[in-house]
Amino acid sequence: MNAKSIISDSMTLEQKLKAIDDAMKAAQQQANEEAKSNGSIAAPLDPASLTICEGCE
């Protein structure tokens, strides 16, 4: 992902952060769809979630 394609110098900090957040959500959704079509599970957006068992969450 090229940062210059989602943010610009004329954007405010809030706009930049929202653009990055939206891009990350879109990438996660795409990874989830690709993994689902392959019969696997995509990594969560927060990799730390993989180290916690479901009962501990």
Side-chain angles (χ1 to χ4, degrees):
M1 180 182 312
N2 186 351
K4 289 184 179 186
S5 67
I6 60 172
I7 61 173
S8 68
D9 290 335
S10 64
M11 299 170 82
T12 65
L13 177 60
E14 290 80 17
Q15 291 171 326
K16 290 177 182 179
L17 292 173
K18 181 167 179 1
I20 292 168
D21 189 45
D22 291 344
M24 290 176 62
K25 286 179 184 177
Q28 182 66 47
Q29 184 177 16
Q30 180 181 358
N32 288 342
E33 290 172 3
E34 289 176 8
K36 188 176 179 180
S37 69
N38 294 333
S40 61
I41 299 172
L45 198 51
D46 180 8
S49 296
L50 292 173
T51 63
I52 302 171
C53 71
E54 290 182 12
C56 297
E57 286 186 330

